[in-house]
Each structure stands twice: as structure tokens, then as C-alpha cells.
Amino acid sequence: MPILTKKFDTKYTTAPFSKIENKDYMDAFLQLIKEAKEEINLIIENKEEPTFENTIEALEFSGNQLDRVSSIFFNLNAAETSDEMQKIAQEVSPLLTEFSNDITLNEDLFKKSESRL
């Protein structure tokens, strides 16, 4: 399992920056986007009556792993960038934008969450 897709075994579960290599990012992003899409689909396909907990709260917590890796990567890219980091950012940014659009523009998810507002 790639280091970025599992819980960090460090004090306060902080990112073990010395163990993360640039090559770890793209695989982690691809895996975590896939997992986040599955989490969203579970919300949409849930046959129970929509509640705050199974809709809004579930949506809020979906993709937490992806958010964590994105924060690590983009903060490090801003603080200590390299040509390799820039290349990864150029490849992953459209994927993250597409994923975000897929959530924002998802009519079924909107209808389900709208009933809870």
C-alpha cells in the first residue's frame, strides 16, 4: 500500500515527509480519486430516507484521504517545488478539477442533498 494512502504511523499522525517520494503522489491521487468517487456513489445509491447524517455529513467526510494528500502535495509544491513536482501538479490538477466538477454537477447528489437543506 502506498505511503500516502494509509494512516501515517507518526506522532500526531503527521505526514512523514522524509519518507514520501515524488513518485508516490500520482498513484495515491489516482487511487484516492477512485475511492472518493465510490464514497459519493454510496451516498447517491443509499436507499434510506436522506438524513443529515447519511447525506450532508457523509458528503462532507467523503474524500478526506484525497483532501489530505492534496494538502500535503500542494503545500509542499508551493514551499519547495521542483520541475518534477510541477509536472505532477500539471497532470493531477485537471483530474482533481474533473472530480470536483463531477460532484458539483451531479444532479442525483444535488437532489438528495437538497432535500436535507
Side-chain angles (χ1 to χ4, degrees):
M1 181 183 306
I3 190 167
L4 290 167
T5 59
K6 61 183 178 180
K7 185 176 179 180
F8 298 143
D9 187 24
T10 59
K11 188 173 185 177
Y12 308 114
T13 63
T14 57
F17 289 102
S18 63
K19 295 179 180 178
I20 300 171
E21 298 179 31
N22 286 342
K23 67 178 180 63
D24 297 327
Y25 287 108
M26 188 52 81
D27 287 341
F29 276 117
L30 293 174
Q31 178 180 335
L32 295 172
I33 287 171
K34 180 182 176 200
E35 290 176 11
K37 285 180 179 181
E38 291 169 359
E39 292 171 352
I40 296 298
N41 284 335
L42 287 174
I43 295 167
I44 294 167
E45 295 170 2
N46 186 346
K47 300 297 183 198
E48 295 177 12
E49 178 72 24
T51 64
F52 182 84
E53 289 78 17
N54 72 15
T55 306
I56 306 300
E57 191 174 295
L59 182 58
E60 178 65 27
F61 289 111
S62 68
N64 273 352
Q65 289 280 79
L66 179 59
D67 291 343
R68 179 184 71 157
V69 170
S70 293
S71 293
I72 291 168
F73 175 77
F74 286 106
N75 282 306
L76 189 58
N77 185 38
E80 189 178 310
T81 195
S82 67
D83 289 342
E84 187 177 5
M85 292 282 285
Q86 289 293 304
K87 184 176 184 287
I88 295 167
Q90 289 175 346
E91 292 175 12
V92 80
S93 291
L95 299 175
L96 292 171
T97 300
E98 179 182 17
F99 171 69
S100 178
N101 286 342
D102 288 349
I103 293 172
T104 304
L105 302 174
N106 188 307
E107 190 173 334
D108 293 330
L109 183 60
F110 177 76
K111 286 177 183 175
K112 186 164 256 198
S113 60
E114 181 182 45
S115 70
R116 300 311 325 144
L117 298 177

